[in-house]
Amino acid sequence: MVLSTMSDNAGVTKSLLLATSMAVVGSTFQFGYNTGVINAPQKTIEQFFNLTYITRYGYPIATSTLNLLWGFTVAVTAVGGMIGSLCAGFAADRYGLKKPMLYNNFTAILAALLMGFSKLAGSFEMLIIGRFIIGINSGINMGIAPMYLTEIAPVKYRGVFGTLGQLGVVTSMLLSQVLGLRWLLGTSTLWPLLLALTGVFAVYQLAVIPFCPESPRFLLVKMNKEDEAREALQWLRGSHYNSKEEMNQMSSEHEAGKDEQKTTIKELFTVSHLRQPLIIAIVMQLSQQLSGINAVFYYSTQLFLAAGIPQEYTGLTTVGVGIVNVIMTIVSLSLIEHAGRRILHLIGLGGMCVCSILLVVLLNLQRTVVISWLTLVPILLFVAFFQTGPGSIPWFITAELFNQSARPAAVSIAGLVNWLGNFTIGLAYPSINAEIGGYTFIIFAVLLAIFWIFTYFRVPETKGKNINEITALF
């Protein structure tokens, strides 16, 4: 709605919106959808695992083995994500942004086919491999699509376009939660279709991307194709747009950065003034992934069942989590330029810590109808506080702490740490929860308190500071 009300004079045209929808729906939707889709049908898919095991070996799978297998099924996407994120920078530098997005769709279609036909083939291995491949797809997408959105956007709206990726993630996560309801696709017969629908986003991008241009910045700066860069800008901004000023600006930025020697990953760890912000960036990424948020995103249905909420309502409560996630993402995007990054992160971590403690208390009280439904409150607030700060600020901070020469290497390390944290929670939570049940979130409460203390004493405020002022702090 925000974008549609902007005038064409501002450079926001139908062509630009088409290219934006291509990047958001075809790329960031993949990550959000496949994060949320595995949640609602957990019990149904676990039954498929068990029946497949009985068919093969003649006896049911052990509960501990099933917990570990399910955790791996959830977490293996993050393993693929690590690989994809490491490939994204190389692919973008060598081939641009359009070609990697185009060819990456074939991995999504392959993953959709493997997951969609896994039940028919009686193979949970196909499902796991499909989750791994869609993780590679998501890792590449989340490395390239935000760059594309930023580089095709008019300068004055670059911040808005840069945040559309995160909005796409939470929106598609909500979509997967709605479709996963028991009276829609979250049934014992339709869950393969639910997982396979991820291929629809790939088909949409394949259909639209031939009409969209390469990033004008890549064409001009990397390929030295001035005429093609100008044509791309005209397509994005409109036929009457004077591209001279924007072309000159891109050229000036490129010339200014030529003299800066690219920082290596080794230097980030060995040079003192680079190591300090790198430690902050890594801890900030861990504060996002080890906060316990993925225990909610991946396993909220299981969490609601443990709280005593009837199974027929767990789908709706999971959708409620998705709605809060989307609303608070929109709210946080409006807050981030008005309030400081540091204060929002502290509020988010502190609120999540309190909610974790409340959740532990409620899960271990004597079970009554009132207590069961009251458990919803700290869970929904937990998600709200996450999107207040930890949901987006670690990425803002990482980008703001480093100059242009060091930023690519720093962002690569941050992305790897982020996916590693994602994998750890996805794999470990089912087994830990099986052992200590309602006390699981006390672990997250302790971690959140540690991250809050670190943020308070070590993380600087970057709002309103230019890169020279920020780097001078170290």
Side-chain angles (χ1 to χ4, degrees):
M1 184 179 293
V2 175
L3 297 178
S4 63
T5 59
M6 296 175 186
S7 68
D8 284 355
N9 292 332
V12 178
T13 62
K14 291 179 180 178
S15 298
L16 176 61
L17 294 178
L18 180 67
T20 301
S21 73
M22 178 276 294
V24 172
V25 175
S27 295
T28 64
F29 264 41
Q30 293 286 12
F31 174 62
Y33 189 86
N34 288 287
T35 297
V37 75
I38 206 74
N39 188 341
Q42 175 182 344
K43 294 298 179 185
T44 303
I45 301 177
E46 282 181 337
Q47 289 172 7
F48 160 66
F49 281 16
N50 199 32
L51 289 172
T52 302
Y53 201 87
I54 291 171
T55 302
R56 292 180 186 178
Y57 305 109
Y59 55 89
I61 192 170
T63 303
S64 59
T65 305
L66 181 59
N67 285 332
L68 187 61
L69 183 61
W70 180 254
F72 185 72
T73 303
V74 171
V76 73
T77 303
V79 179
M82 289 182 228
I83 296 171
S85 65
L86 290 174
C87 295
F90 169 79
D93 188 58
R94 188 177 179 87
Y95 302 109
L97 304 181
K98 182 178 173 179
K99 279 186 180 179
M101 282 195 290
L102 172 67
Y103 294 119
N104 195 30
N105 287 301
F106 295 106
T107 63
I109 292 171
L110 175 60
L113 291 172
L114 286 167
M115 293 186 290
F117 286 104
S118 59
K119 184 181 179 185
L120 187 64
S123 170
F124 52 73
E125 292 88 352
M126 284 176 62
L127 171 56
I128 293 170
I129 294 170
R131 291 276 299 168
F132 171 71
I133 293 173
I134 202 64
I136 295 175
N137 173 276
S138 297
I140 294 173
N141 279 331
M142 293 308 292
I144 289 177
M147 277 195 286
Y148 184 79
L149 288 168
T150 301
E151 292 187 12
I152 66 172
V155 175
K156 65 188 295 186
Y157 299 125
R158 195 165 286 165
V160 176
F161 275 76
T163 55
L164 287 177
Q166 176 66 10
L167 192 58
V169 170
V170 296
T171 302
S172 57
M173 195 182 301
L174 175 59
L175 174 65
S176 72
Q177 291 162 342
V178 172
L179 293 176
L181 291 170
R182 293 168 64 84
W183 53 85
L184 292 176
L185 300 181
T187 66
S188 58
T189 55
L190 292 178
W191 67 261
L193 176 61
L194 175 68
L195 300 186
L197 279 179
T198 194
V200 173
F201 308 130
V203 171
Y204 174 79
Q205 189 170 73
L206 281 172
V208 175
I209 201 169
F211 302 101
C212 301
E214 176 57 87
S215 157
R217 179 179 293 273
F218 178 81
L219 291 171
L220 179 65
V221 172
K222 193 72 178 177
M223 302 298 292
N224 199 27
K225 295 181 177 180
E226 186 174 336
D227 291 339
E228 290 186 27
R230 186 176 292 107
E231 287 175 12
L233 278 176
Q234 294 290 156
W235 188 90
L236 290 164
R237 307 284 186 264
S239 56
H240 300 296
Y241 177 72
N242 185 353
S243 61
K244 184 177 180 180
E245 184 178 347
E246 193 168 350
M247 292 280 288
N248 288 340
Q249 184 179 12
M250 286 191 289
S251 297
S252 298
E253 289 175 3
H254 175 58
E255 290 299 322
K258 269 185 176 179
D259 296 332
E260 291 187 1
Q261 188 174 356
K262 189 172 287 188
T263 302
T264 65
I265 289 178
K266 181 182 177 181
E267 287 172 332
L268 285 174
F269 287 97
T270 56
V271 179
S272 176
H273 73 271
L274 294 175
R275 186 170 61 247
Q276 291 181 59
L278 180 66
I279 291 171
I280 291 172
I282 288 173
V283 175
M284 292 289 278
Q285 296 297 333
L286 291 175
S287 75
Q288 181 189 84
Q289 291 299 325
L290 302 185
S291 65
I293 193 62
N294 281 328
V296 176
F297 287 158
Y298 289 145
Y299 302 111
S300 65
T301 301
Q302 179 181 326
L303 190 59
F304 292 135
L305 286 172
I309 293 174
Q311 188 166 355
E312 59 266 29
Y313 297 118
T314 55
L316 289 174
T317 50
T318 295
V319 169
V321 168
I323 292 171
V324 170
N325 200 25
V326 171
I327 292 172
M328 288 307 299
T329 298
I330 295 171
V331 171
S332 70
L333 296 182
S334 63
L335 286 175
I336 200 160
E337 289 302 334
H338 294 88
R341 277 79 155 134
R342 181 174 174 273
I343 188 65
L344 286 177
H345 200 65
L346 286 169
I347 291 171
L349 292 174
M352 293 175 78
C353 184
V354 172
C355 289
S356 296
I357 295 169
L358 285 174
L359 186 57
V360 171
V361 172
L362 289 170
L363 286 173
N364 288 281
L365 286 176
Q366 185 175 356
R367 196 63 44 79
T368 65
V369 174
V370 174
I371 294 297
S372 293
W373 285 102
L374 197 59
T375 308
L376 271 174
V377 176
I379 294 174
L380 295 176
L381 287 175
F382 187 86
V383 174
F385 278 116
F386 173 77
Q387 290 299 355
T388 300
S392 57
I393 286 174
W395 292 111
F396 273 88
I397 289 283
T398 299
E400 290 176 334
L401 290 178
F402 299 91
N403 61 23
Q404 187 62 40
S405 65
R407 192 174 298 134
V411 169
S412 294
I413 293 171
L416 186 63
V417 170
N418 190 281
W419 280 107
L420 185 60
N422 188 321
F423 171 76
T424 301
I425 298 302
L427 179 65
Y429 179 81
S431 297
I432 294 173
N433 189 60
E435 291 297 322
I436 61 177
Y439 291 99
T440 305
F441 269 74
I442 202 68
I443 298 172
F444 297 128
V446 171
L447 288 170
L448 285 161
I450 293 170
F451 292 134
W452 191 96
I453 293 168
F454 179 90
T455 302
Y456 184 84
F457 287 105
R458 295 297 302 275
V459 177
E461 180 55 71
T462 58
K463 177 181 176 291
K465 293 184 174 70
N466 62 41
I467 187 61
N468 292 328
E469 291 172 325
I470 295 168
T471 53
L473 297 172
F474 304 104

